[in-house]
Amino acid sequence: MRPQQHALATRDGFSEAYTQHARSILIFLARRTCDPETALDLTAETFAQAFESRRRFRGNTDEDAAAWFFGIARNVLSRYVRRGTAERRALTRLGIEVPSLEPEDLARVVELAGLDDLRGAVARELGALTDEHREALQLRVVEQLEYDDIARRLAITEPAARARVSRGLRTIGRALDPTTTTIQERLT
Amino acid sequence: MTAHRETTGIVALDELGRRLDAVVERPRLRVRRPRRWAALALGLLALVATPAIAAVVFEGPERVEDKLPEVAAAIDRSDPVATGRALEELGFRVQWTLITDNPNRGRDGETPTRWRAVDAPPTGTRILSVSSRDGDFKVDPDTRNLQIEISPAGSEILRSHEE
């Protein structure tokens, strides 16, 4: 049993924790979505969910708080990748509109997240894929076709379509973040 | 409400923070734990009340282990392999996520930990948490898909959870 609860459970404590961690969460999400606007939407939902459940936070250090925020962000991101849209349930419940990113903000997030480098890396990896993998990836990710449709379009079996998409995503996922396979895991 | 906020350095994030500060939460249906004077009456009520009523009256436990006693009985935090085997025998499907300390934590955009899905718990790991497949601790009794986070013994994240 923990001796005392972190200040995060209080309103002021939450506000301070937000200021401390919001930027890191935004950059974390920007690196994984490659889109600052989407990253801001997901950041907003992350903190809305955290705000709603702040009294359930059981940690007692700032590191625990960071781990808790990132855990929620990870789940929000995972649902975004699975569904293709940013969830806004907690934001809606709290009645919060997400502010828009002004051009200066946009440039700052792109810079902080190193998105230009990241986009370059993705473009390089895409260019290095074989034609068949790139085409399968295009049909799945850009055109959002189901695997049986991809199989028909490419005149291959559905397992083969899944395998091509999976390999393509794994290759690009490694370029984005060598320590995780999140994108590949979530999309296949 | 805080009179003064530090800034995040990003205007939209600061604005979002102010909007969160300004939220007035709608009151939730929540019955607090009974005062001593009411305990006897509630105790008597419990004699005739169904478990469903009790669940409404009292705030429910938050951990998966509390909601699913059979999961609690199967968990051996020091032995994820045996835990996984026991849970599978009970009909649960387990997805393993390995959490390790991030050596770059503290830098912008760097998480305190790294994670990745693994097919089975590596040797030398301990159980960090048990949740639903979506990472939610709120589960219902019919939940059969679990996510178990494991971490190497001696890791910072494990120490902070086991303190």
Side-chain angles (χ1 to χ4, degrees):
Chain A
M1 199 56 62
R2 295 175 186 283
Q4 67 181 72
Q5 202 166 24
H6 191 275
L8 183 60
T10 68
R11 234 168 212 275
D12 284 355
F14 186 87
S15 185
E16 282 172 27
Y18 173 89
T19 308
Q20 190 179 346
H21 299 295
R23 199 171 81 165
S24 287
I25 296 282
L26 176 66
I27 294 165
F28 163 76
L29 292 166
R31 279 188 188 154
R32 280 149 185 84
T33 58
C34 289
D35 177 6
E37 297 280 3
T38 301
L40 182 64
D41 284 345
L42 299 178
T43 301
E45 177 65 16
T46 295
F47 280 96
Q49 288 186 14
F51 181 82
E52 283 191 321
S53 54
R54 65 191 186 280
R55 291 184 193 91
R56 295 211 304 267
F57 174 66
R58 293 289 176 264
N60 53 11
T61 65
D62 286 344
E63 191 147 81
D64 288 344
W68 187 64
F69 283 128
F70 275 104
I72 296 172
R74 199 176 109 204
N75 288 332
V76 168
L77 175 67
S78 147
R79 282 193 280 268
Y80 163 72
V81 174
R82 273 204 305 268
R83 295 171 187 169
T85 56
E87 188 179 20
R88 287 170 175 264
R89 280 188 300 177
L91 285 166
T92 304
R93 280 195 298 269
L94 296 177
I96 294 178
E97 287 279 327
V98 181
S100 51
L101 280 172
E102 296 301 321
E104 300 79 31
D105 270 357
L106 205 58
R108 181 97 176 107
V109 175
V110 168
E111 180 199 341
L112 286 169
L115 290 190
D116 286 339
D117 290 345
L118 211 52
R119 285 166 182 157
V122 172
R124 275 196 302 281
E125 292 300 328
L126 268 175
L129 288 177
T130 63
D131 288 345
E132 59 183 24
H133 286 129
R134 192 165 46 246
E135 193 174 3
L137 213 50
Q138 162 92 11
L139 293 172
R140 176 66 181 149
V141 177
V142 181
E143 299 186 25
Q144 302 198 321
L145 296 184
E146 295 298 327
Y147 285 105
D148 53 348
D149 288 333
I150 298 172
R152 271 194 294 277
R153 292 273 285 270
L154 299 179
I156 55 177
T157 63
E158 190 176 321
R162 285 181 183 276
R164 285 187 191 180
V165 171
S166 174
R167 283 188 205 123
L169 287 171
R170 196 178 306 135
T171 305
I172 291 172
R174 283 192 197 119
L176 289 172
D177 187 346
T179 62
T180 69
T181 51
T182 304
I183 290 180
Q184 184 265 333
E185 284 160 7
R186 303 303 185 202
L187 281 175
T188 52
Chain B
M1 216 60 39
T2 46
H4 167 74
R5 304 178 57 100
E6 296 295 321
T7 69
T8 63
I10 295 170
V11 177
L13 272 188
D14 291 339
E15 176 56 30
L16 177 63
R18 280 190 288 275
R19 292 179 188 185
L20 273 167
D21 278 350
V23 166
V24 178
E25 283 179 287
R26 284 188 291 274
R28 293 182 179 184
L29 179 63
R30 174 175 296 186
V31 180
R32 299 194 181 282
R33 292 189 183 283
R35 291 170 189 273
R36 187 177 291 179
W37 61 264
L40 179 62
L42 280 170
L44 290 171
L45 176 64
L47 289 175
V48 293
T50 64
I53 291 174
V56 171
V57 172
F58 297 101
E59 274 185 36
E62 300 295 350
R63 298 185 315 156
V64 171
E65 296 96 305
D66 295 325
K67 285 276 176 69
L68 302 171
E70 67 272 37
V71 170
I75 291 176
D76 177 352
R77 292 195 177 268
S78 63
D79 192 345
V81 174
T83 298
R85 202 179 304 126
L87 287 171
E88 279 167 16
E89 281 171 9
L90 289 169
F92 289 93
R93 286 182 293 279
V94 178
Q95 175 179 291
W96 299 97
T97 302
L98 177 64
I99 310 283
T100 52
D101 294 332
N102 178 1
N104 296 321
R105 63 185 178 277
R107 295 184 199 164
D108 258 346
E110 289 288 347
T111 57
T113 53
R114 297 282 197 187
W115 64 88
R116 64 188 167 90
V118 290
D119 293 334
T123 309
T125 53
R126 289 173 60 86
I127 291 177
L128 197 60
S129 73
V130 182
S131 63
S132 74
R133 190 59 69 90
D134 282 340
D136 197 335
F137 291 106
K138 287 157 85 176
V139 296
D140 61 58
D142 297 327
T143 297
R144 282 296 173 270
N145 293 318
L146 298 174
Q147 173 179 247
I148 299 185
E149 292 184 333
I150 46 176
S151 194
S155 63
E156 194 64 41
I157 184 71
L158 195 62
R159 273 203 296 274
S160 73
H161 275 64
E162 292 185 340
E163 266 173 6

